[in-house]
């Protein structure tokens, strides 16, 4: 059969191996990997001699065109996905934010509108839940049917994003029944808010105080609490942007007990 594109002479790198091979692409999909693939009737041949041929990267945590703290994140879906593509990332998962009083569907539609006319790579969404009365839990099912199978909850930012433990627990139980995943921003938001207010009263507003008002114990405690709630709910939990060893130890303890606990970090850490 003929191929649309043939990448030749490269070193193919997969999750487990690296080896010399050609890669054939048809209709936008990799259809064959092998030695000396036939080049007859190929529309385009790319010579990758001296180069690695890698699968496209997937960035599972981005914030494009996101309003926050009185400003908006620097990149929108045009500039953000273009930069991602240049770096070899061909899919990203952003966050559709449900603000208080909104339906989850409104959040999804709003972020789809932000992305659909601008994105140059593939994209998907987690849904950030900030308001989840019992009547709205059913909406999680419709989001999963739409392909939004992960939901981000916050233990920080009182009055903006923060949810109480009961709401987190209910969301975890619902996600578990739906085959979904809860992504958790794990910090003790109440305690941090007290420390922040004291720092502001003392005029401590330099950038370093962002870190100094967020002790690692606050992250570790919330990580342990998130894991405990997930265990009670029979649900997996994914700790986002984990930043310290104290919290990592809580993840290790959960995994050592066989719990479905996962974590990511961020490059700046």
């Amino acid at each position: 059969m003929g191929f649309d594109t043939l990448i030749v002479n490269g070193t193919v790198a997969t999750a487990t191996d690296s080896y010399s091979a050609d890669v054939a692409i048809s209709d936008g999909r990799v259809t064959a990997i092998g030695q000396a693939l036939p080049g007859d009737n190929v529309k385009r041949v790319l010579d990758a001699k001296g180069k690695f041929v890698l699968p496209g990267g997937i960035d599972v945590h981005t914030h494009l065109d996101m309003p926050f703290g009185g400003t908006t994140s620097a990149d929108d879906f045009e500039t953000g996905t273009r930069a991602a593509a240049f770096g070899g990332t061909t899919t990203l998962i952003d966050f559709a934010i449900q603000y208080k009083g909104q339906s989850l569907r409104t959040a999804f539609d709003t972020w789809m509108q932000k992305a659909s006319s601008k994105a140059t790579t593939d994209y998907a969404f987690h849904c950030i839940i900030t308001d989840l009365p019992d009547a709205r839990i059913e909406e999680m099912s419709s989001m999963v049917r739409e392909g939004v199978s992960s939901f981000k909850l916050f233990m920080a930012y009182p009055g903006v994003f923060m949810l109480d433990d009961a709401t987190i627990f209910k969301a975890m139980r619902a996600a578990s029944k739906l085959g979904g995943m809860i992504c958790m921003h794990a910090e003790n938001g109440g305690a941090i808010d007290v420390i922040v207010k004291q720092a502001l009263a003392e005029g401590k507003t330099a950038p370093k105080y962002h870190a100094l008002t967020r002790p690692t114990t606050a992250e570790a405690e919330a990580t342990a609490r998130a894991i405990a709630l997930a265990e009670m709910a029979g649900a997996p939990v994914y700790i986002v942007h984990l930043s310290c060893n104290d919290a990592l130890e809580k993840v290790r303890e959960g995994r050592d007990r066989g719990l479905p606990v996962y974590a990511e970090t961020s490059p700046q850490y």
Side-chain angles (χ1 to χ4, degrees):
M1 60 177 290
F3 306 117
D4 296 338
T5 302
L6 193 62
I7 304 172
V8 299
N9 301 324
T11 299
V12 171
T14 71
T16 56
D17 300 292
S18 294
Y19 51 92
S20 297
D22 300 337
V23 178
I25 301 168
S26 294
D27 296 325
R29 294 178 178 272
V30 173
T31 53
I33 301 175
Q35 302 285 344
L37 294 177
D40 301 336
N41 302 319
V42 173
K43 297 178 182 177
R44 184 171 60 157
V45 177
L46 301 176
D47 189 349
K49 185 176 181 180
K51 296 180 173 63
F52 286 102
V53 183
L54 308 170
I58 303 173
D59 189 336
V60 300
H61 190 137
T62 68
H63 290 293
L64 301 177
D65 199 0
M66 183 188 78
F68 186 78
T71 186
T72 302
S73 57
D75 284 296
D76 64 10
F77 280 87
E78 180 180 0
T79 62
T81 57
R82 186 193 305 155
F86 270 104
T89 293
T90 56
T91 301
L92 57 83
I93 309 180
D94 206 271
F95 293 82
I97 304 175
Q98 173 239 19
Y99 295 103
K100 293 188 184 301
Q102 283 186 341
S103 68
L104 303 185
R105 180 79 211 192
T106 297
F108 178 62
D109 288 346
T110 299
W111 256 259
M112 282 291 288
Q113 188 173 10
K114 289 173 183 275
S116 59
S117 63
K118 293 184 176 181
T120 57
T121 67
D122 292 334
Y123 58 91
F125 292 105
H126 314 282
C127 184
I128 290 178
I129 297 176
T130 66
D131 185 28
L132 196 66
D134 289 344
R136 191 157 286 143
I137 291 177
E138 293 300 317
E139 293 181 33
M140 294 174 68
S141 177
S142 65
M143 287 295 96
V144 171
R145 288 195 298 270
E146 291 278 0
V148 180
S149 59
S150 44
F151 303 89
K152 183 181 180 183
L153 311 180
F154 284 79
M155 292 172 146
Y157 305 117
V160 183
F161 289 150
M162 183 171 159
L163 297 175
D164 61 27
D165 287 357
T167 302
I168 291 169
F169 179 63
K170 288 189 288 186
M172 285 176 165
R173 287 205 303 186
S176 179
K177 291 177 183 177
L178 297 168
M181 173 80 79
I182 294 297
C183 305
M184 185 62 67
H185 178 124
E187 287 185 293
N188 191 309
I192 287 171
D193 199 42
V194 172
I195 300 170
V196 167
K197 286 177 179 176
Q198 180 182 345
L200 291 173
E202 295 172 355
K204 296 176 178 177
T205 58
K208 69 177 182 179
Y209 291 106
H210 182 87
L212 295 176
T213 54
R214 288 159 176 80
T216 58
T217 305
E219 184 177 350
E221 180 280 326
T223 299
R225 184 158 37 101
I227 294 169
L229 291 168
E231 183 176 10
M232 288 190 287
V237 64
Y238 183 97
I239 308 298
V240 297
H241 47 62
L242 186 145
S243 72
C244 65
N245 186 65
D246 288 353
L248 181 60
E249 288 297 328
K250 304 302 182 183
V251 172
R252 284 180 175 146
E253 290 170 9
R255 291 179 65 85
D256 287 346
R257 292 195 292 115
L259 298 176
V261 180
Y262 311 95
E264 67 177 31
T265 189
S266 292
Q268 65 267 28
Y269 303 142

